[in-house]
Amino acid sequence: MEPFELTLAEAAAAVEERSLSPVELTESVLGRIDAVEERLQAYVTLAGETARDAAARAEREIAADGYRGPLHGMPFGLKDMIDAAGMPTTASSRVRADHLAQADSAVAGRLSAAGGVLIGKTHTHEFAYGLTTPQTRNAWDQDRIAGGSSGGSAVAVAAGTATFALGTDTGGSIRVPAALNGLVGLKPTYGLVPRHGVVALSWSLDHVGPLTRTVQDAALVLSALVGPVPQDPASLRTAPTAYPLPPGDGDLTGLRVGIPVNYYFDRVAPEVEAAVREAHTQLADMGAELVEVEIPMTRYVQATQWGLMVPEATASHERTLRSVPELYAPDVRILLEAGELVSAGDYLRAQRSRTLMRQAWLSMFDRIDVLAAPTVPMTATKTDQTSVSWPDGSTESVSDAYVRLSAPANITGLPSLSLPVGRDHAGLPIGMQLIGRPLEEAAVLRTGHAYETAHPCMRPPA
């Protein structure tokens, strides 16, 4: 096995015991980029020489007994919405083509302090306002979408061109590409990971989190990101937290897993439903108690998501939308212009709906510890596909289909973890998401880790 094929935890263990050096690992990842980047297009900016310098520095520090922890010497990618000092943050848009970050974002600074090696900035759907990331190709099938908006981050990790990467998630933008590329994607509790230095899409819905190959890897990265910063008023005043995962055979005795009886299995591809229901059975075999629950206020989910996101995004882009509208991609420009038509009353009604929905979901969690549901209703679509037809005769756009099952966790701010649970007839990955109570990342990580103990991480074709 080549070093770039190792999971983060495997690579970290090898570096700690000095059977693998950060320089060897980084060179392996850079070699992998040379081999696959031209066809996958995960990165918008690469930092090869800077990464080599950082890896050499990490190697010297470790040799001098200065090991900082499991991220020391690990090559990673940052979604190009996240500032890293001295590098462009373009949000994959011509609008920000000349932008150069003057300082690290909070999360980039923390990864640097942990000894991480930044390989480059990964593509996003322009300004994170979409679910496909059209520049980037799926790691499993290059004729299919990567998912979005953190598609570049997902493909980089799936293809072995980063040991982990960070993304942002406003309506599913970490979890959707994670599901479509056979990865683990974690959207933490709203405010748990600070967003200072991250380009905003919708300030009341935006989250930052990791994309990794395993749940164990996600726990390692999350541990380095948590903690408030004064520059982000929404960041929660929680102490830095570690998320250790128990070793063993995946015993889930005493855990109550919610099985949705509505919404999450409506208009879902049969293979996706079958894989997730089989995963439910496997969780029960590990000792979990399966509890059927009704998802509240489902008819308001998409109206609330769009009612919050669209006007907030338009407000963020008000100046440039007026001064350089021609620089936006057509699909993003249409959405931003549509936001100017949302009234203050509609926005306030969406805020009220979110409050009621969050209260209803918290009441539902009185009966369960985690909810287990499909991440997305279908696997990766072809790059030219724009709509989906369902057996009930209904159709919806690809973006609406992908956001439909992931949006509730953004509206409510609850932690949600997507992990692979199988493949469809074409060999494409299928994802299941585990949603928990506020600040109970440990519960969703424990549940996901128990499942993956029996299901090794999925590797895409070379």
Side-chain angles (χ1 to χ4, degrees):
M1 179 179 288
E2 296 295 326
F4 73 79
E5 298 179 272
L6 299 172
T7 68
L8 170 60
E10 290 167 346
V15 166
E16 183 179 16
E17 66 185 20
R18 304 187 189 182
S19 61
L20 174 69
S21 78
V23 170
E24 291 170 331
L25 176 60
T26 299
E27 290 296 341
S28 179
V29 169
L30 290 172
R32 179 64 170 169
I33 289 173
D34 288 342
V36 303
E37 175 60 16
E38 185 175 355
R39 51 191 168 92
L40 294 180
Q41 295 295 303
Y43 286 94
V44 61
T45 304
L46 286 165
E49 291 310 309
T50 303
R52 287 185 171 99
D53 291 343
R57 184 167 56 252
E59 187 166 317
R60 291 192 300 270
E61 291 169 347
I62 294 169
D65 294 327
Y67 183 66
R68 304 187 200 180
L71 302 190
H72 204 171
M74 297 297 110
F76 70 94
L78 284 180
K79 183 177 182 176
D80 201 29
M81 300 281 285
I82 303 172
D83 281 348
M87 293 186 68
T89 305
T90 72
S92 292
S93 175
R94 293 184 297 162
V95 175
R96 290 174 63 94
D98 298 326
H99 180 274
L100 192 70
Q102 300 302 306
D104 279 340
S105 59
V107 290
R110 287 173 177 175
L111 293 177
S112 178
V117 174
L118 177 59
I119 287 287
K121 305 291 286 296
T122 58
H123 267 303
T124 172
H125 202 118
E126 185 179 32
F127 284 109
Y129 212 173
L131 276 297
T132 62
T133 317
Q135 309 92 325
T136 305
R137 293 293 175 262
N138 189 284
W140 293 76
D141 183 342
Q142 291 157 50
D143 292 329
R144 297 181 184 270
I145 64 168
S149 59
S150 306
S153 290
V155 171
V157 177
T161 60
T163 58
F164 70 93
L166 295 192
T168 64
D169 192 311
T170 304
S173 290
I174 289 172
R175 292 159 292 150
V176 171
L180 301 189
N181 288 277
L183 295 178
V184 170
L186 175 62
K187 183 203 76 64
T189 301
Y190 180 76
L192 181 64
V193 174
R195 301 165 302 170
H196 174 63
V198 179
V199 179
L201 173 60
S202 172
W203 54 80
S204 73
L205 296 169
D206 291 344
H207 301 66
V208 176
L211 290 115
T212 61
R213 294 180 191 162
T214 69
V215 176
Q216 183 181 17
D217 291 355
L220 292 175
V221 179
L222 181 64
S223 297
L225 302 178
V226 171
V229 297
Q231 300 94 332
D232 181 358
S235 65
L236 299 175
R237 299 302 183 257
T238 57
T241 305
Y243 296 91
L245 294 173
D249 58 1
D251 182 15
L252 293 177
T253 301
L255 185 81
R256 299 170 300 170
V257 175
I259 309 301
V261 298
N262 63 324
Y263 189 71
Y264 278 101
F265 290 104
D266 298 341
R267 290 183 297 166
V268 168
E271 290 175 296
V272 171
E273 177 170 358
V276 174
R277 293 201 183 278
E278 174 60 24
H280 290 163
T281 299
Q282 292 166 343
L283 293 175
D285 291 343
M286 296 176 187
E289 177 189 358
L290 305 186
V291 181
E292 291 189 342
V293 292
E294 183 169 351
I295 307 301
M297 298 184 64
T298 57
R299 63 182 293 190
Y300 301 106
V301 168
Q302 287 185 284
T304 303
Q305 174 72 19
W306 291 106
L308 294 168
M309 181 173 65
V310 171
E312 289 183 358
T314 299
S316 294
H317 290 264
E318 183 175 10
R319 181 179 61 83
T320 48
L321 188 59
R322 283 175 167 76
S323 61
V324 289
E326 71 281 0
L327 296 184
Y328 288 93
D331 62 326
V332 172
R333 179 178 171 179
I334 288 170
L335 287 170
L336 291 173
E337 289 175 343
E340 295 182 324
L341 305 178
V342 178
S343 70
D346 289 338
Y347 178 65
L348 292 174
R349 278 184 281 274
Q351 293 280 16
R352 174 187 286 182
S353 176
R354 183 202 353 233
T355 299
L356 295 174
M357 195 176 299
R358 179 177 170 84
Q359 291 171 343
W361 272 68
L362 292 177
S363 295
M364 179 183 70
F365 273 95
D366 288 342
R367 299 180 53 218
I368 60 175
D369 300 303
V370 298
L371 181 76
T375 306
V376 288
M378 70 273 191
T379 54
T381 61
K382 294 283 189 178
T383 55
D384 59 354
Q385 184 174 339
T386 59
S387 63
V388 185
S389 298
W390 298 108
D392 64 3
S394 65
T395 61
E396 62 183 335
S397 70
V398 166
S399 291
D400 282 348
Y402 281 135
V403 79
R404 175 161 43 90
L405 304 186
S406 54
N410 293 90
I411 296 168
T412 59
L414 300 177
S416 179
L417 176 80
S418 180
L419 70 161
V421 293
R423 304 184 199 179
D424 69 4
H425 68 282
L428 299 171
I430 295 169
M432 176 176 73
Q433 63 178 323
L434 302 169
I435 304 174
R437 299 187 190 92
L439 298 176
E440 293 198 5
E441 276 73 10
V444 296
L445 289 166
R446 175 198 168 208
T447 307
H449 180 58
Y451 179 87
E452 78 177 9
T453 57
H455 300 83
C457 64
M458 301 172 68
R459 308 283 188 182

